[in-house]
Amino acid sequence: MTRRARTFYLIPYAFWILLFVIAPIVLIAYYSFFDIDGNFTFSNYVNFFTPVYLKMTVSSFWYAFLIMLFTLLISYPTALVLTKLKHKQLWLLLIILPTWINLLLKAYAFMGIFGTYGTANKFLEFIGIGTQQILFTDFSFLFVSTYIFIPFMILPIYNALEEMNPSLTHAAQDLGATRWTTFWRVVFPITLDGVKAGCQAVFIPALSLFMITRLIAGNRVITLGTAIEEHFLVTQDWGMGSTIGVFLIIAMFIIMFVSGAKRKKGAVK
């Protein structure tokens, strides 16, 4: 393929990136310099460093970290088991299938499951514990968020495990290594890139969750995503909402750069 042909085929891709990636970021940055009355100001950036927004930032990172951690602890063993199953592609499809369902529908389904008269409380009554407040708690928020993000963590880890040469584990075992030593010293380091990719795919979107915080957590969990929704749809302060969006974008780029740089460093070694 000639250079002119490659340039021609890149035009739609470049147009898509310009229209749906660069332009929205530029608009968000532009609106962040205006107050609710449309006056140019830097006050939005000053207000972001007040205790209220800093607390939201810490809360967002903390909950995103917990979601990522729980998702990883569930997904890695699941991916290991998947690689050893006979019909692995079918099981993988069943794991991916829930991602085809609208997020709002899944949230309402869990509202029914965790509600006062839902399936979860019916089970607790059956075993003698009695009705509990499950919905609108940190537990329900973390449970539903982890459930939603699990496929995005499993896929990169599963691909990394599938690409690993099985002779490496056999060699470690032949040299007297236990299963745990083989996993920790051979399997995990080889699949670390898949783990990093999965953590990126979970942590970055988890930073800006807002629908689940409303429906499942009942606003008990306040994140930057919730604050953005509040400013754009309720207070109509687009400038402050855009400012929070700018800091979220910066945080996401930093996370991607740091994890990507470490991955490249490991590849060079």
Side-chain angles (χ1 to χ4, degrees):
M1 185 181 294
T2 63
R3 180 178 298 179
R4 181 177 297 180
R6 285 198 299 267
T7 304
F8 176 78
Y9 286 119
L10 281 174
I11 291 175
Y13 176 76
F15 179 76
W16 179 274
I17 294 296
L18 178 65
L19 188 62
F20 294 106
V21 178
I22 298 176
I25 292 176
V26 171
L27 283 175
I28 290 173
Y30 171 78
Y31 279 113
S32 68
F33 291 103
F34 292 89
D35 60 18
I36 195 170
D37 297 318
N39 301 315
F40 183 85
T41 181
F42 290 99
S43 61
N44 292 326
Y45 287 90
V46 175
N47 292 335
F48 182 83
F49 290 98
T50 57
V52 174
Y53 291 103
L54 290 178
K55 185 178 179 180
M56 288 184 190
T57 304
V58 172
S59 177
S60 297
F61 275 86
W62 172 244
Y63 281 108
F65 170 76
L66 289 178
I67 292 168
M68 181 193 71
L69 178 63
F70 294 147
T71 306
L72 177 61
L73 292 176
I74 296 171
S75 299
Y76 204 108
T78 304
L80 275 173
V81 172
L82 277 175
T83 58
K84 302 180 186 303
L85 294 177
K86 184 177 181 181
H87 303 290
K88 61 181 73 176
Q89 297 300 328
L90 175 61
W91 288 106
L92 192 62
L93 176 63
L94 293 177
I95 291 173
I96 298 172
L97 202 59
T99 62
W100 300 356
I101 302 173
N102 185 271
L103 180 60
L104 185 61
L105 293 177
K106 289 188 281 190
Y108 276 113
F110 274 105
M111 288 178 68
I113 294 171
F114 289 150
T116 305
Y117 304 102
T119 308
N121 270 315
K122 290 293 183 184
F123 176 75
L124 293 178
E125 290 179 1
F126 176 75
I127 62 177
I129 296 178
T131 302
Q132 302 292 322
Q133 178 62 44
I134 304 175
L135 196 62
F136 307 141
T137 61
D138 288 359
F139 167 78
S140 62
F141 171 71
L142 291 172
F143 184 94
V144 175
S145 301
T146 301
Y147 162 79
I148 289 171
F149 285 116
I150 277 177
F152 302 102
M153 181 71 78
I154 288 179
L155 278 175
I157 297 176
Y158 171 82
N159 289 332
L161 288 168
E162 279 288 279
E163 293 174 0
M164 187 181 67
N165 190 343
S167 62
L168 297 175
T169 58
H170 298 324
Q173 291 170 359
D174 290 340
L175 292 171
T178 62
R179 289 187 177 182
W180 172 251
T181 304
T182 301
F183 169 76
W184 190 247
R185 301 293 296 272
V186 179
V187 177
F188 186 76
I190 292 175
T191 59
L192 192 57
D193 283 349
V195 173
K196 289 180 180 178
C199 289
Q200 276 188 6
V202 172
F203 187 85
I204 292 176
L207 275 177
S208 55
L209 286 174
F210 68 92
M211 184 189 300
I212 299 175
T213 58
R214 293 283 192 191
L215 299 178
I216 303 298
N219 283 340
R220 280 178 52 86
V221 176
I222 304 298
T223 63
L224 292 178
T226 310
I228 291 174
E229 181 203 22
E230 188 79 17
H231 283 304
F232 272 97
L233 300 182
V234 180
T235 66
Q236 297 294 307
D237 189 356
W238 288 22
M240 194 63 219
S242 298
T243 302
I244 300 171
V246 168
F247 279 101
L248 270 178
I249 292 170
I250 292 172
M252 293 173 185
F253 274 115
I254 291 173
I255 293 167
M256 292 175 65
F257 174 78
V258 170
S259 59
K262 288 184 178 179
R263 194 181 308 170
K264 289 179 181 179
K265 186 177 179 182
V268 170
K269 289 182 179 180

